[in-house]
Amino acid sequence: MSILLVVPQFTLTTFALVWLVTDQGWNALAAGVLVGVAQFVGAIGRIGVGVLSDRVGSRVRPLRWVAVSAVVVMLLLAGVGLLQWPVAVAVALVVASAVTVADNGLAFTSVAEMAGPTWAGRALGAQNTGQFIAASIVGPAVGALIGLVGYPLAFLAVAVLPALAIPIIPSEAAEHDHL
């Protein structure tokens, strides 16, 4: 599940700047500033989602919300990319960048909690390894897809992955059985 959710995050961190400059016609300075703002907002968002998960008493419920949101924001990014409306592109990129990084802390905490104290290290190691393998594939695979079909359709294709993650996020009952 985490492997599927990390692909949109690494797609945006790898290609957002290039997308803004080459496909959307932004100058490099403005694109760099926007990407920096998006990453800062994403860091704040990760903290916010962690606080939310503490408040609702669940990691997996907000994780499911984030996965659904990742589908929506990647579709939104594909749409505004086609329209090439600079303000909409900027807002969509900031929101998409924040949403697509929000799952990390929730997933790590959930894995550790569900694995329990004797298996947490191994479970986190397996999860991190899977995510890093997926992240290393994003550059060449999504880059090739962008070369074949363009950014909007590539973003659309990437939206499929968090959609596939939604049904395999553990249930709240499974989460509470392990706590």
Side-chain angles (χ1 to χ4, degrees), residues 4 14 17 20 25-26 28 31 35 47-48 53 66 78 80 102 109 120 138 151 165 168 177-178:
L4 298 170
T14 303
L17 184 69
L20 290 171
W26 288 48
V35 169
I47 294 167
S53 76
V66 169
V80 299
T109 304
V138 166
Y151 285 94
I168 59 176
D177 288 346
H178 289 90

Side-chain angles (χ1 to χ4, degrees), residues 9-24 26 31-32 34-35 38-39 77 89 93 97 146 151 155:
Q9 174 188 350
F10 277 88
T11 296
L12 295 180
T13 58
T14 303
F15 295 105
L17 184 69
V18 178
W19 173 62
L20 290 171
V21 173
T22 63
D23 192 64
Q24 297 297 306
W26 288 48
L34 181 64
V35 169
Q39 290 177 353
L77 210 55
V89 163
L93 181 61
S97 294
I146 290 167
Y151 285 94
F155 292 159

Side-chain angles (χ1 to χ4, degrees), residues 12 16 36 44 51 56 60 66 74 82 104 109 120-121 123 127 129 136 140 156 172-173 175:
L12 295 180
I44 301 299
V51 170
V56 300
V60 296
V66 169
M74 291 307 296
L82 283 171
N104 290 95
T109 304
Q127 180 190 21
T129 300
S136 70
L156 184 69
E172 285 187 70
E175 175 183 41

Side-chain angles (χ1 to χ4, degrees), residues 149-178:
V149 300
Y151 285 94
L153 291 178
F155 292 159
L156 184 69
V158 168
V160 170
L161 298 171
L164 293 173
I166 295 165
I168 59 176
I169 294 171
S171 69
E172 285 187 70
E175 175 183 41
H176 292 295
D177 288 346
H178 289 90

Side-chain angles (χ1 to χ4, degrees), residues 96-140:
S97 294
V99 167
T100 61
V101 300
D103 64 279
N104 290 95
L106 294 174
F108 291 149
T109 304
S110 179
V111 164
E113 289 174 348
M114 287 187 176
T118 57
W119 282 89
R122 287 172 271 207
L124 287 170
Q127 180 190 21
N128 277 331
T129 300
Q131 283 189 309
F132 289 136
I133 290 169
S136 70
I137 294 169
V138 166

